[in-house]
Amino acid sequence: MQEIDNIIQTYLKELSYEPILTMLAKTSSGKKLRSKLLLSIAGESKEAYNLCAIIELIHLASLLHDDIIDESDLRRGAKSINAEFGAKNALMLGDILYSKAFYELSKQEKNIAQNLSNAVCKLAIGELMDVDLSKKFNENKDAYLTMIYHKTAVLIEASAKCGAMLAKLDEEAFGAYGKNLGLAFQIVDDVLDITSDEATLGKPSLSDFKEGKTTLAYIYLYEISNENDKEKLKNLFKKDLNEEEKAWLKQQFTEKNVIEKSIIEAKRYGNLSLEAIKKYKNEKLETIVKALIDRNF
């Protein structure tokens, strides 16, 4: 993945403004899931690496804007850019990364540029959906799934499709792989917010609920709770929970098996992603899915 980071550095050095690189140095490059997918499908080439760098710029820009919207102080265990440099700087850095990504994307083939551009548009819509859903406790599973498709899965889907385009493979099949992997990925991430500790998460556990995110486990919990517990759950929404309230929530999750139910849903999407590309027998892509869904929660 170092080659991708080198290309990103080259792209941003071309802008000749040192504060961009200073702020970028404070970001975490993450695991580059989208790049790994693309390279696992298309193989390694200069064209593929350049496209990976564009996708990573887009992904990073979206995270910068997401942290501003959520007023997050932490990102992957370190201070977020908005916490370190202020929301205005984080916003403009995100805009710069998006703009540079689109400039480099304009040099790509038309079908690839259109695929990624459309995905970024949907991604922004996903952010709007997330903001809208955060206004009140969301009981609607379909609304949640639509939102996470736009906010998370769509860029993973587009990355897989781009890989297929470069390799001249069935882009719809690989797109289905990416879409279902993306849905599984977000459901797993949402479960981990509940089941993992702060040291593992890099942020306090149950922080999604405090930020106004009614993730799948909360929706399932609401569906099977009695009226008193439903009301209590709604009253805890977006609240800074004390230890007693956290303990009650975790007890409810355990007693009503909603974590297991959420994991089953994530595994269902993971299996759909594998089914979409089974004829290609791509071990790297299969390993990515299995590492995501066959784990301890």
Side-chain angles (χ1 to χ4, degrees), residues 24 57 65 109 129 182 193 209 246 254:
L24 186 74
L57 282 174
H65 287 178
E109 291 183 7
M129 289 176 175
D193 179 78
F209 202 51
K246 288 180 180 179
T254 301

Side-chain angles (χ1 to χ4, degrees), residues 25-237:
K26 292 289 186 176
T27 65
S28 169
S29 61
K31 296 179 180 177
K32 294 186 174 63
L33 169 64
R34 294 147 194 84
S35 293
K36 289 176 181 175
L37 292 184
L38 192 152
L39 294 173
S40 295
I41 298 166
E44 297 180 23
S45 67
K46 182 179 179 181
E47 186 178 17
Y49 278 127
N50 285 338
L51 194 50
C52 287
I54 291 167
I55 290 169
E56 294 302 332
L57 282 174
I58 289 168
H59 179 55
L60 182 53
S62 74
L63 296 181
L64 290 169
H65 287 178
D66 192 44
D67 283 345
I68 295 167
I69 292 167
D70 292 341
E71 298 180 346
S72 299
D73 292 330
L74 294 173
R75 165 64 63 179
R76 295 173 180 140
K79 286 182 74 173
S80 62
I81 296 300
N82 49 295
E84 182 86 10
F85 298 98
K88 292 178 181 179
N89 282 322
L91 174 64
M92 293 314 302
L93 179 61
D95 288 352
I96 289 164
L97 299 186
Y98 269 133
S99 300
K100 182 59 174 171
F102 274 99
Y103 172 73
E104 297 300 333
L105 186 58
S106 71
K107 303 174 186 179
Q108 298 285 327
E109 291 183 7
K110 181 180 177 180
N111 61 337
I112 288 175
Q114 288 180 337
N115 173 47
L116 264 181
S117 298
N118 185 49
V120 175
C121 185
K122 288 181 179 179
L123 193 160
I125 292 169
E127 285 285 3
L128 278 177
M129 289 176 175
D130 195 20
V131 170
D132 188 51
L133 288 177
S134 71
K135 292 176 182 177
K136 62 180 181 178
F137 186 96
N138 171 46
E139 308 165 21
N140 188 329
K141 177 183 173 183
D142 288 339
Y144 162 80
L145 290 172
T146 300
M147 183 273 292
I148 66 168
Y149 165 67
H150 283 77
K151 188 177 174 184
T152 300
V154 74
L155 191 56
I156 297 174
E157 175 186 38
S159 301
K161 288 180 80 170
C162 283
M165 289 174 185
L166 287 177
K168 295 183 170 34
L169 299 173
D170 183 350
E171 62 188 73
E172 295 307 316
F174 285 95
Y177 168 88
K179 175 182 178 178
N180 287 296
L181 174 64
L183 292 170
F185 177 89
Q186 189 58 58
I187 293 170
V188 166
D189 194 60
D190 292 342
V191 166
L192 292 175
D193 179 78
I194 297 168
T195 61
S196 297
D197 57 25
E198 184 171 351
T200 303
L201 289 169
K203 61 178 182 177
S205 64
L206 304 175
S207 61
D208 283 349
F209 202 51
K210 179 184 174 183
E211 291 173 2
K213 301 180 191 300
T214 316
T215 57
L216 190 58
Y218 295 95
I219 295 171
Y220 283 153
L221 179 58
Y222 184 84
E223 287 176 349
I224 61 176
S225 292
N226 61 39
E227 290 304 315
N228 286 337
D229 286 344
K230 283 182 177 180
E231 193 61 30
K232 184 170 183 177
L233 186 60
K234 282 188 171 182
N235 287 335
L236 296 181
F237 181 62

